[in-house]
Amino acid sequence: MLSVLNNLLEFLETYYVIIISFNTILILILFILLISVNRNFKKFKFKYNKIMEEAKEKSVEKMLCDIFNYTNETSLKNKELEYKLNKIEKNLQHCVQKVGVVRYNAFEGVGSELSYAVALLDNNDDGVVINGIYARESSTTYAKPIKGGNSKHALSAEEIQAIDIARRAKYQDRSTIKN
């Protein structure tokens, strides 16, 4: 028995610095954990006290019912807004989203490219192409319906070019553009 105690004493004398260091580190870790738990407890206690102050005026059961009612109302409003948004997005498909403009000289000797072709298309490439032809003595405007990027009416080269420009144009959602 005495030899075991001597061995233990010799072990402690050899490694006492390591043992004390380990214990010190362990105590520091436990102290940091205690501070963290105390901070979280204070936050919880603050929230708890705030709820209990409101509970003095009305019961916790009434408060929970109010919260559930508010949540249900909010959910219904969100569904209504989602329905309206879907309806708007569906209608937006039929609004003018693509524009192509071509200026040109319809007749020799009449400069400054005063004639024009404008294509106004929706998301499905449906819309209209408007062609304004300027001459020295007169000005004429034509409008031709466009369906799927084509027309059942004969199109001039400038009208075809305006439609092609419009079809390549992409609608830019302004909410995603960063300043």
Side-chain angles (χ1 to χ4, degrees):
M1 177 81 166
L2 190 58
S3 68
V4 170
L5 287 176
N6 282 337
N7 286 339
L8 180 62
L9 188 58
E10 187 179 304
F11 175 80
L12 290 174
E13 285 176 357
T14 306
Y15 296 107
Y16 80 95
V17 172
I18 295 173
I19 293 171
I20 290 174
S21 298
F22 179 75
N23 285 339
T24 305
I25 291 171
L26 187 62
I27 289 171
L28 282 173
I29 290 172
L30 289 174
F31 183 72
I32 291 170
L33 283 173
L34 177 66
I35 290 172
S36 175
V37 168
N38 189 32
R39 182 177 294 152
N40 289 338
F41 178 75
K42 284 182 180 179
K43 288 179 185 177
F44 173 78
K45 186 177 178 184
F46 175 77
K47 290 176 184 177
Y48 174 79
N49 287 337
K50 187 174 180 180
I51 290 172
M52 287 300 113
E53 279 180 28
E54 291 180 26
K56 288 178 185 176
E57 297 172 14
K58 54 186 173 182
S59 70
V60 174
E61 181 180 327
K62 173 71 171 131
M63 286 174 46
L64 286 174
C65 286
D66 291 347
I67 290 170
F68 285 129
N69 289 337
Y70 179 76
T71 304
N72 288 336
E73 289 173 10
T74 304
S75 178
L76 289 173
K77 286 180 183 177
N78 283 345
K79 286 179 183 176
E80 182 181 333
L81 289 173
E82 185 178 351
Y83 171 77
K84 287 180 180 180
L85 178 63
N86 288 335
K87 192 174 178 182
I88 289 170
E89 286 178 345
K90 186 177 176 184
N91 288 337
L92 185 62
Q93 299 299 312
H94 303 290
C95 295
V96 172
Q97 296 184 20
K98 304 173 193 177
V99 177
V101 177
V102 175
R103 290 179 54 123
Y104 64 97
N105 288 326
F107 304 104
E108 256 186 63
V110 179
S112 298
E113 296 182 337
L114 297 174
S115 297
Y116 60 88
V118 177
L120 306 169
L121 304 177
D122 67 8
N123 194 53
N124 302 314
D125 292 337
D126 297 337
V128 66
V129 65
I130 300 168
N131 194 349
I133 301 173
Y134 176 79
R136 288 190 190 271
E137 302 298 321
S138 66
S139 180
T140 307
T141 304
Y142 299 96
K144 299 173 186 172
I146 305 298
K147 187 77 172 164
N150 298 308
S151 178
K152 64 181 181 178
H153 303 282
L155 298 172
S156 69
E158 294 81 14
E159 291 169 335
I160 292 170
Q161 187 180 0
I163 292 169
D164 286 342
I165 291 170
R167 289 180 78 181
R168 285 193 308 268
K170 297 285 187 214
Y171 168 74
Q172 279 192 315
D173 183 0
R174 299 288 180 208
S175 65
T176 60
I177 297 175
K178 294 180 181 169
N179 294 333

